[in-house]
Amino acid sequence: MLYSKLTYKITFLTTFLIGCFFLPAQIMQDSTKIKEDKTTLELLKHDTKQTLKSVGYSFTRPLHWKGKDFSKLGGLLVGTIALSSLDNETNRFFERNSENFPKGIRDFGWYFGSPQNYFITNAGLYGFGLLTKNEKIRKTSVLVISSSITNGVINSLLKGSVGRARPNHTGDPFDFQLFSSEPGYHSFPSGHTALSVTMSHAIAKQFDNIWVKIGVYGIGAVAPISRLVDGAHWLTDIAFSAALSIIVVDSIDKFLFNSKAYNYTKPPKNISWNFTFSANQIGLIGTF
């Protein structure tokens, strides 16, 4: 018990220091200077407007999809279905090793992926950027919150309609009760994964240093892994949520760049997804 509490405190403290001091400091180094005649209120209005426009863009974008866009969606769905063949095996693996997994890290993953803690964290990040009038931090927060709203709505709709049973509920990955209101049938997709991956990907995109990226993505991976260990989600719930979150972040980031709402030092880098299927390999591969 003492070890678990200590692990949790150390993990939380480390993440807090990275989020509150290291990341803002790194972003400040190459942040674009803004005009001195803009007040804090004006910046707040501008960021709020861009957030609403980004959310509106993300929900209306499917109306402008072309063939390749539908192909990508089909690849995501086919890849998810193919990956479901591994759901039972991965669930048994995490179930066998759950007792050896540090409880502090499991708790951190749950808290970090919880909506209330997640939005408090982003509010703190945005508040820092607003008070210091740092455009890059503000833009990053706008990217996080607009992507989170988009993913949140999509996740809520899918959870309530798909009705997939959680591993710790029935233990059957192919047990569905469409439009079920029972929490035990809200496995697909993973809300914790959507939030943690959204934030980690949005922040990691701001850096070129590979080690910083690895650290940020590492923190973002804690919540998805902890949900697998807790038996709250299947592997495909996690994979689909992660892929969808990355796609949404990349799409909104590209929109903000094209709209010239903020000064980008370089075009945003997106991840290209490719579906793979062979005798010993099933899944989606993202190329940076």
Side-chain angles (χ1 to χ4, degrees):
M1 180 66 69
L2 179 61
Y3 172 77
S4 296
K5 290 183 178 180
L6 181 61
T7 302
Y8 176 77
K9 290 180 179 179
I10 292 175
T11 305
F12 180 83
L13 179 60
T14 302
T15 306
F16 179 83
L17 292 175
I18 291 176
C20 294
F21 298 103
F22 179 66
L23 290 180
Q26 288 291 311
I27 296 177
M28 285 283 284
Q29 289 181 4
D30 60 347
S31 175
T32 304
K33 293 182 178 180
I34 61 175
K35 296 179 180 179
E36 294 181 358
D37 58 350
K38 282 193 174 183
T39 65
T40 300
L41 181 59
E42 288 174 328
L43 294 176
L44 177 61
K45 289 181 178 179
H46 173 78
D47 297 336
T48 301
K49 179 181 178 180
Q50 298 309 317
T51 298
L52 295 176
K53 289 176 66 176
S54 297
V55 173
Y57 167 82
S58 62
F59 283 119
T60 58
R61 185 58 189 166
L63 299 176
H64 305 281
W65 279 3
K66 298 180 180 179
K68 63 178 182 179
D69 298 307
F70 287 103
S71 296
K72 290 180 180 179
L73 176 62
L76 176 60
L77 297 177
V78 171
T80 301
I81 294 173
L83 195 62
S84 65
S85 63
L86 302 177
D87 276 336
N88 271 320
E89 185 57 38
T90 53
N91 180 57
R92 286 193 290 267
F93 170 81
F94 284 106
E95 188 176 29
R96 290 194 302 267
N97 295 277
S98 60
E99 294 184 0
N100 299 323
F101 198 85
K103 186 178 183 299
I105 297 180
R106 292 169 67 173
D107 291 341
F108 168 77
W110 188 89
Y111 283 111
F112 183 70
S114 298
Q116 61 272 25
N117 299 315
Y118 176 86
F119 286 109
I120 288 175
T121 301
N122 189 52
L125 182 65
Y126 177 73
F128 180 88
L130 185 63
L131 292 176
T132 59
K133 295 188 175 181
N134 184 295
E135 186 179 59
K136 194 167 186 179
I137 294 180
R138 288 172 33 241
K139 184 264 294 182
T140 302
S141 291
V142 168
L143 177 60
V144 171
I145 190 64
S146 55
S147 299
S148 301
I149 293 174
T150 301
N151 277 323
V153 173
I154 295 174
N155 270 260
S156 296
L157 292 175
L158 289 177
K159 276 181 178 291
S161 58
V162 174
R164 190 185 196 187
R166 296 182 184 273
N168 55 16
H169 187 62
T170 66
D172 182 0
F174 303 107
D175 182 8
F176 294 87
Q177 287 192 10
L178 302 182
F179 302 102
S180 174
S181 59
E182 188 176 347
Y185 282 94
H186 288 175
S187 184
F188 182 89
S190 169
H192 280 72
T193 298
L195 292 180
S196 60
V197 172
T198 293
M199 178 172 284
S200 60
H201 185 50
I203 293 177
K205 286 172 71 68
Q206 312 308 316
F207 303 98
D208 292 324
N209 189 305
I210 186 62
W211 297 110
V212 174
K213 286 181 177 289
I214 291 174
V216 174
Y217 282 125
I219 294 174
V222 174
I225 294 175
S226 68
R227 300 302 280 166
L228 290 170
V229 174
D230 290 338
H233 289 286
W234 303 99
L235 176 63
T236 43
D237 301 334
I238 302 295
F240 179 87
S241 294
L244 180 63
S245 299
I246 291 173
I247 291 171
V248 169
V249 170
D250 284 346
S251 177
I252 293 180
D253 197 22
K254 184 177 181 180
F255 167 74
L256 291 174
F257 171 77
N258 291 333
S259 63
K260 298 181 180 180
Y262 300 93
N263 291 314
Y264 279 64
T265 56
K266 61 184 68 176
K269 295 180 179 179
N270 295 337
I271 298 179
S272 60
W273 292 93
N274 296 293
F275 172 65
T276 61
F277 182 82
S278 62
N280 59 355
Q281 187 180 57
I282 301 176
L284 289 169
I285 297 178
T287 305
F288 292 85

